Amino acid sequence: MDRLELEVHDIDAMVLTGIYSEETHLPQPLRISITAELDCEPHYAPGTPLSASKNYLDLKRAATTALPEGVHFTLIEAVADHICETLLLQDQRLRWVRVKIVKLAIAEAGESIGITLTRHRR
């Protein structure tokens, strides 16, 4: 079976998130990667219009400008959930969305610490 996965990786965004007192008043730097499976066309010819796919900038916007300003997400899981739901509501052709979030501020030796959430269309 053919599959089309759209990918946008390593988007750096400042998001209000965290459970500790030092985290709750200032945005934290997060590195967000998104993969989404889209219903695949039977063939993509050289002149196939963008409407046969999805603009990958929509994925980037879901992780940046589509996050509500001033809202504090206690868990980064909630940030990932918001991104998934934004994209699934936006385009019925998406089968699933996977969001990986790395909390940049807590890395001590360059390690990646975070979560990956995959939401399937229900």
Side-chain angles (χ1 to χ4, degrees):
M1 178 164 93
D2 296 333
R3 296 171 46 155
L4 176 63
E5 292 183 11
L6 304 170
E7 299 180 345
V8 177
H9 292 273
D10 300 329
I11 302 163
D12 288 346
M14 297 298 287
V15 180
L16 279 170
T17 184
I19 58 172
Y20 302 109
S21 60
E22 65 270 15
E23 298 177 317
T24 59
H25 61 286
L26 294 173
Q28 283 191 58
L30 302 179
R31 181 156 295 144
I32 303 170
S33 296
I34 304 168
T35 303
E37 184 177 319
L38 185 73
D39 287 340
C40 192
E41 294 289 317
H43 177 69
Y44 292 98
T48 301
L50 177 58
S51 61
S53 186
K54 182 167 182 58
N55 189 333
Y56 51 83
L57 291 177
D58 291 340
L59 278 67
K60 181 177 179 179
R61 284 187 208 99
T64 55
T65 57
L67 288 174
E69 195 172 319
V71 172
H72 180 266
F73 294 89
T74 303
L75 301 175
I76 58 173
E77 288 85 343
V79 177
D81 191 72
H82 188 279
I83 294 167
C84 288
E85 291 301 316
T86 297
L87 290 168
L88 289 168
L89 287 171
Q90 186 181 86
D91 196 324
Q92 295 300 309
R93 299 172 301 164
L94 291 176
R95 295 179 182 174
W96 54 261
V97 177
R98 177 176 301 120
V99 176
K100 178 180 179 180
I101 298 179
V102 174
K103 292 183 78 169
L104 298 174
I106 63 173
E108 295 174 348
E111 68 274 21
S112 293
I113 300 170
I115 59 104
T116 299
L117 175 68
T118 303
R119 284 271 187 244
H120 292 266
R121 179 164 304 287
R122 295 181 180 108

